[in-house]
Amino acid sequence: MNLTNKELVPVGNFLQSLTLPAQVSRARTKLVASLNAALQDLAESEKQLVADFNGEVNDQGQINWSDGVAPIEYHTEHAVLLDEEVTIELNQPTLMKALKEYFAEWNEDIDPQYAEAFDAFFDALETEQEN
């Protein structure tokens, strides 16, 4: 399943907001664990990007820039990083099948705060289903 880095948190939050049947819930739990692993990779890439532009990330996650302000180039590169596509693996075919089948028939109301996340998740799921 492919998502962009900027979609990882919203999709994870959306999935965790759902009450699901047992097997689908297990698939969601495994999928969220994969999302979290991708988020850790993203965090490391963000720290490296900050360092590349002479900044430092403190223990609270705040960025301190050597001259007090982030370079414009940093913002450009950060936007590119957030738009990068990542592959999220659910290496358990039975659970992935349960997830796909469940959401293929799913027609529940979507809380407006999760509309974009649902759209990104469903697009990724449909693309995965085609493969």
Side-chain angles (χ1 to χ4, degrees):
M1 166 178 305
N2 294 326
L3 295 166
T4 62
N5 279 321
K6 67 184 172 193
E7 294 169 334
L8 296 174
V9 170
V11 168
N13 289 342
F14 163 68
L15 290 172
Q16 291 183 356
S17 75
L18 302 175
T19 301
L20 300 170
Q23 189 169 20
V24 179
S25 180
R26 283 193 66 225
R28 179 225 1 237
T29 299
K30 307 282 188 212
L31 187 58
V32 167
S34 293
L35 290 172
N36 288 337
L39 278 170
Q40 288 178 344
D41 292 343
L42 174 60
E44 289 302 315
S45 295
E46 287 177 317
K47 284 181 185 178
Q48 183 59 52
L49 185 61
V50 168
D52 291 347
F53 285 95
N54 299 318
E56 184 179 71
V57 179
N58 67 22
D59 292 338
Q60 290 77 36
Q62 297 171 322
I63 301 173
N64 299 313
W65 297 103
S66 58
D67 63 357
V69 64
I72 292 172
E73 297 85 2
Y74 163 79
H75 292 293
T76 302
E77 291 298 317
H78 189 248
V80 169
L81 178 62
L82 291 179
D83 283 334
E84 283 182 7
E85 199 169 84
V86 293
T87 300
I88 307 300
E89 298 289 335
L90 183 57
N91 294 324
Q92 296 181 346
T94 303
L95 292 179
M96 185 53 119
K97 182 178 183 221
L99 190 70
K100 288 178 186 178
E101 288 175 356
Y102 180 80
F103 280 102
E105 302 298 322
W106 198 65
N107 194 23
E108 300 295 320
D109 292 340
I110 304 293
D111 187 320
Q113 71 177 336
Y114 296 122
E116 289 181 30
F118 170 74
D119 186 48
F121 171 68
F122 207 77
D123 283 350
L125 201 58
E126 284 182 328
T127 302
E128 180 73 19
Q129 206 161 14
E130 292 168 5
N131 296 334

